[in-house]
Amino acid sequence: MANVAVIGSQWGDEGKGKIVDVLSSEADVVVRFQGGHNAGHTLVIDGTTYKLHLLPSGIVRPGKLSVIGNGVVVDPHALLNEIKTVKSQGLEVTHDSLLLAENASLILSVHSIMDQAMEEARGAKKLGTTGRGIGLAYEDKVARRGIRVCDLAYPDVLKEKIEKMLDHHNILLKGWGAQALSAETLYEELMSVSDEILKYSGVAWKRLDEEHKAGKKILFEGAQGHFLDIDHGTYPYVTSSNTVAGSAAAGAGVGPKMIDYVLGITKAYTTRVGTGPFPTEQENADGEMLGQRGHEFGTTTGRKRRCGWFDAVLVRQAIKTGGIDGIALTKLDVLDGFDELKICVGYEIDGETFDHLPASCAAQAKAKPIYETMPGWSETTYGARSYAQLPAAAVKYVKHIEELIEAPVALLSTSPERDDTILMQDLFID
Ligand code: GDP
Ligand code: IMO
Ligand code: MG
């Protein structure tokens, strides 16, 4: 087994960054394949915290290749700012260590302006987006009026493309009584960074093919989570990309057979940022305790994350529809000190029992969780590095989750630090 796809199995923020960092010690290449700087991946290495949004988590390890694949939507200004930030933290980012796919789509300022304006127009029904223009950039991509990294090399064509793109957006802006945007301004915004961006750009699919042929190990780093997926998530309260491992191939430019193992990153409880159905949410002292102990504030927007009990129905659904082979169970330590723990094993909707989350948003909003209760533990699991260090009740909790979700726990995480991890299966055995 060589190439691993790491994806979120809940609503994001499961700890993907930490796990990619742990696994990248044995990988050669780390690739992002969807999403954009709506992601916020936190890595803690010997007390130093790195918050990555667009850069693949492999960037913290010297000698690894980081690739931003064609499926990612890239805000060039955000990318350059992030490179500056991590460089100020002592990391090296060079044209050899970072490769940006020439066919990745760009996020322009019009996209974040429109994202925020649309959220405002939705009023109480807003989606709670990150306001980064992610959805709008994907809309333009699918509508075939998007601007891509490779367009920066052809300024004349770029200008025409921006004008065409703005024809669309300005009609909307005028309809809202807002001021139209100038193509010249957007053009200058891009031209001011185009040389720097083009230095990182290249033919990512070809490089990945070469690395693969040379026997190098590739990690595919997902962003967001299964229930934010545009098809499989709690639509319309989702992001605008496919977050499942199935999109790793298309979003990186490799064949689906290149992915040997799909690792679903799964929090030992559940959180969600932004609006949308969340059956096991605890708007009470338990939810507060989870949030406080887990420091549940968004890495990208700083918003307080909503917290609730572990939902085995959701995670099992992510495993089935996302082809997850095994999970990394993170933040087990946050559950230390609870007298008892609840796990959702089904839903009741209008008097009917469900073993899955139905697609209708109206039904999802009515889903009442059916819980099993398990005893908690008073001992600390924080920083545990071996299974033997875990209290018996914690082991029972983990084992029961494995049964309910019908997949093994391949890895356990017990603190934000890189080394506080228990490896249950070697994912990189050839
Ligand atoms: P991602 O978006 O999936 O990469 O996750 P985030 O970085 O947004 O959020 C996960 C948070 O939990 C970060 O602050 C991590 O440092 C932290 N974290 C990751 N694993 C663990 C763990 O096992 N225990 C604790 N206490 N914190 C963790
Ligand atoms: P990582 O990779 C958690 C959520 C937003 C909002 C919805 C749509 O750190 O797990 P968007 O800006 O994407 O159009 O917002 O998706 N969202 C995330 N929630 N973690 C993320 O990324 C997220 N990226 C987007 O809060 O509800
Ligand atoms: Mg995050």
Side-chain angles (χ1 to χ4, degrees), residues 63 180 200 295 301 361 370 390 394 418:
Y200 292 104
H295 305 291
T301 58
C361 186
I370 301 165
L390 300 181
R418 175 190 270 178

Coordinates of all heavy atoms in Angstrom, one line a residue, residues 63 180 200 295 301 361 370 390 394 418:
G63 N 12.2 18.7 1.9 CA 12.4 17.6 1.0 C 11.2 16.9 0.4 O 11.2 16.0 -0.5
A180 N -21.2 48.4 -10.3 CA -20.5 47.4 -11.2 C -19.0 47.4 -11.0 O -18.4 48.4 -10.5 CB -20.8 47.8 -12.6
Y200 N 5.5 29.3 -9.8 CA 5.1 28.0 -9.1 C 4.4 27.1 -10.0 O 4.1 25.9 -9.7 CB 4.3 28.3 -7.8 CG 5.0 29.0 -6.7 CD1 4.8 30.4 -6.5 CD2 5.9 28.3 -5.9 CE1 5.5 31.0 -5.5 CE2 6.6 29.0 -4.9 CZ 6.4 30.3 -4.7 OH 7.1 31.0 -3.7
H295 N -11.2 23.2 22.2 CA -10.9 24.5 21.6 C -11.5 24.6 20.2 O -10.9 24.9 19.2 CB -9.4 24.7 21.5 CG -8.7 24.5 22.8 ND1 -8.8 25.4 23.8 CD2 -7.9 23.5 23.2 CE1 -8.1 25.0 24.8 NE2 -7.5 23.8 24.5
T301 N -12.1 31.2 10.0 CA -12.9 32.4 10.3 C -13.0 32.7 11.8 O -13.5 33.8 12.1 CB -14.4 32.2 9.8 OG1 -14.9 31.0 10.5 CG2 -14.4 32.0 8.3
C361 N -33.4 18.1 2.9 CA -33.0 19.0 4.0 C -34.1 19.1 5.1 O -33.9 19.2 6.3 CB -32.7 20.3 3.4 SG -32.0 21.5 4.5
I370 N -31.3 8.7 17.9 CA -31.5 7.6 18.8 C -30.2 7.3 19.4 O -29.2 7.0 18.6 CB -32.1 6.4 18.1 CG1 -33.4 6.7 17.4 CG2 -32.3 5.2 19.0 CD1 -33.9 5.7 16.4
L390 N -4.4 3.6 27.2 CA -5.8 4.0 27.3 C -6.6 3.3 28.4 O -6.4 2.1 28.6 CB -6.5 3.8 25.9 CG -5.8 4.5 24.7 CD1 -6.7 4.1 23.5 CD2 -5.8 6.0 24.9
A394 N -12.2 3.8 27.5 CA -11.9 4.5 26.3 C -11.7 3.4 25.2 O -12.1 3.6 24.0 CB -10.6 5.3 26.4
R418 N 2.1 16.4 16.8 CA 2.4 15.4 15.8 C 2.6 14.0 16.4 O 2.1 13.0 15.9 CB 3.7 15.9 15.1 CG 4.3 15.0 14.1 CD 5.6 15.5 13.7 NE 5.6 16.4 12.5 CZ 6.6 17.0 12.0 NH1 7.8 16.8 12.5 NH2 6.5 17.7 10.9

